[in-house]
Amino acid sequence: MTDKSKYLLACESSCDETAFSLYNITTKSIVKSTIHSQIKMHARHGGVIPELASQFHFNIISELFYETLAETSIALEDIDYFACTNGPGLPGALLIGFTFVKTLAWSLQKPFFSINHLEGHLYSTFLSSSDIPFPHLCMSLSGGHSNIYLVESFDSYVLLGTTRDDACGECFDKIAKLLNLPYPGGKYIEEITKNNILKNSRNYTISNLQDGSISFSGLKTAVLYDIMKNNYYDKEKKKISDKAPIEFAQEIATSTQYVITHMIINWIYYFVEQYPHIKAITMVGGVACNEIIAHTVEKYFESHGIHFYRPEKKFCCDNADMIALVAAHKIKKNSNIENIYNQSILT
Ligand code: KG4
Ligand code: ZN
């Protein structure tokens, strides 16, 4: 290889996706990304089984790594830096990616960076738009976490609020399960809603904030009680019975979508009032794929003069490009960094 670019290999394996990103630090561009999703395997069980997740990561990681370098002009020894997610996530799943990449780095005596998964999501919007102004609010919503941050720069952010119980994606998925929809159910609830008028016809409560934090689990309980009260609960299957009319399930789905959308608007608005100097709002994580939430939030805040950004869908869900982006920034800040193999998955 003759070019003078510096290359980084980043890996993500915190939950049910094994992913690599080969990143050109010099040109700030993704050379190649690969991803292997386990969703189909876990869907059979109605949710992620941690032991199976580790096994699937283990089975695929080596092949996926070679696939990442294949058809590029970059060989393993051309890679200058290595990075991997070190948490939060499933310990066994994290360990597979972390050990694999750290071993590669060690074998070549190249620097290795451990990256926080949530920090990856937090800055993932920059993979799609480079001009997002600071300070901004970032709403991070996925299957494992729901957080809102004040982001002051690439190096400085503050967690303002979180969920007191279930994550937003988890709430979507649990309600979808009750409605007998496939796992993960967020996108199926959205699909049903798209064909109906978005309204809260089941009259579920839009829960209030407490000290800037939110609760999603009350909505799941309200849906459960609604199904029970209407005698459509199948106790054996622990979900809606086949006898329930389709319109009933559709009303639950659209009401769920309505309530979650409005909870998110209220949540962001609470902090917009407290931090009136913010210049933009970003939304990241798997739930940011939800067009109804994104468009409603965008319309609402653009009418208040605040720009809204979210990453392309491929960067909303778990991916290694967001890990590469954060690692590339850390590398730029510490250009004389030593090899840091003493980093552990527990730090
Ligand atoms: O960020 P992500 O891919 O993985 C985690 O770190 O959890 O998020 C997955 C979550 C799941 O709960 C999934 O149901 C939700 O994102 N999700 C959606 C949509 N697409 C994915 N939720 C609502 N509407 C969608 N279109
Ligand atoms: Zn994630």
Side-chain angles (χ1 to χ4, degrees):
M1 208 186 53
T2 51
D3 83 297
K4 294 270 186 308
S5 288
K6 294 278 183 198
Y7 292 96
L8 158 73
L9 182 82
C11 174
E12 154 64 37
S13 72
S14 64
C15 188
D16 53 358
E17 261 101 24
T18 325
F20 282 102
S21 174
L22 185 59
Y23 190 84
N24 184 327
I25 299 176
T26 315
T27 59
K28 295 185 185 161
S29 57
I30 299 163
V31 179
K32 191 165 166 192
S33 315
T34 50
I35 187 155
H36 175 264
S37 172
Q38 307 175 356
I39 282 181
K40 273 191 192 151
M41 273 84 82
H42 294 295
R44 292 186 212 131
H45 305 278
V48 176
I49 309 288
E51 291 80 1
L52 285 183
S54 315
Q55 190 64 53
F56 291 136
H57 284 300
F58 181 78
N59 291 349
I60 199 78
I61 195 155
S62 182
E63 188 184 326
L64 199 67
F65 161 68
Y66 284 114
E67 194 188 316
T68 312
L69 296 189
E71 290 157 27
T72 74
S73 57
I74 297 140
L76 174 59
E77 49 280 6
D78 299 325
I79 300 170
D80 302 282
Y81 304 95
F82 292 82
C84 188
T85 308
N86 74 334
L90 303 171
L94 285 162
L95 208 56
I96 305 291
F98 199 83
T99 311
F100 186 88
V101 179
K102 199 170 165 181
T103 307
L104 287 177
W106 175 81
S107 68
L108 295 165
Q109 291 296 294
K110 298 278 176 72
F112 171 79
F113 292 81
S114 50
I115 304 295
N116 182 287
H117 180 79
L118 299 181
E119 229 174 88
H121 277 300
L122 183 64
Y123 292 107
S124 60
T125 320
F126 285 90
L127 290 165
S128 301
S129 342
S130 55
D131 56 349
I132 305 157
F134 293 109
H136 60 252
L137 289 178
C138 174
M139 176 59 83
S140 185
L141 303 167
S142 80
H145 66 270
S146 298
N147 296 328
I148 183 161
Y149 303 89
L150 175 66
V151 191
E152 279 152 344
S153 70
F154 244 108
D155 305 301
S156 161
Y157 60 90
V158 186
L159 176 66
L160 300 176
T162 185
T163 171
R164 298 194 297 280
D165 37 59
D166 290 351
C168 184
E170 189 181 357
C171 174
F172 265 116
D173 296 344
K174 284 180 175 171
I175 292 173
K177 199 169 179 180
L178 279 172
L179 295 180
N180 211 8
L181 297 168
Y183 174 85
K187 68 173 180 181
Y188 298 100
I189 292 200
E190 182 188 12
E191 249 168 51
I192 294 172
T193 309
K194 271 185 188 157
N195 303 321
N196 294 280
I197 297 159
L198 183 65
K199 62 175 187 184
N200 186 8
S201 47
R202 303 306 309 165
N203 281 319
Y204 298 139
T205 305
I206 299 178
S207 81
N208 290 323
L209 289 162
Q210 273 176 23
D211 297 328
S213 288
I214 210 162
S215 163
F216 285 106
S217 77
L219 178 58
K220 172 203 63 194
T221 311
V223 169
L224 176 66
Y225 286 173
D226 192 17
I227 298 173
M228 284 174 163
K229 205 174 74 195
N230 284 281
N231 294 323
Y232 290 132
Y233 188 65
D234 184 327
K235 279 186 190 148
E236 246 169 62
K237 292 185 184 157
K238 295 198 172 93
K239 48 182 73 164
I240 198 164
S241 93
D242 301 338
K243 294 185 195 97
I246 184 85
E247 294 77 16
F248 178 68
Q250 279 171 348
E251 277 190 13
I252 293 176
T254 41
S255 300
T256 296
Q257 176 76 59
Y258 180 98
V259 169
I260 293 181
T261 304
H262 284 83
M263 275 165 66
I264 291 166
I265 290 183
N266 292 350
W267 200 9
I268 300 173
Y269 190 76
Y270 177 89
F271 287 107
V272 167
E273 280 198 313
Q274 289 195 21
Y275 299 95
H277 64 297
I278 56 123
K279 297 193 177 120
I281 292 163
T282 66
M283 186 176 287
V284 301
V287 180
C289 293
N290 190 297
E291 301 288 342
I292 297 168
I293 296 177
H295 289 150
T296 317
V297 169
E298 177 169 24
K299 210 164 128 200
Y300 185 84
F301 288 101
E302 293 275 349
S303 76
H304 286 70
I306 309 171
H307 286 311
F308 174 83
Y309 300 83
R310 68 174 166 147
E312 291 153 69
K313 282 192 180 179
K314 64 178 175 183
F315 300 134
C316 288
C317 296
D318 287 350
N319 65 86
D321 301 311
M322 66 184 192
I323 304 303
L325 184 84
V326 174
H329 187 76
K330 289 190 192 297
I331 291 161
K332 208 176 106 199
K333 295 281 290 183
N334 303 285
S335 44
N336 296 323
I337 202 132
E338 296 293 318
N339 291 350
I340 23 186
Y341 306 117
N342 58 344
Q343 292 181 353
S344 96
I345 202 157
L346 303 172
T347 58

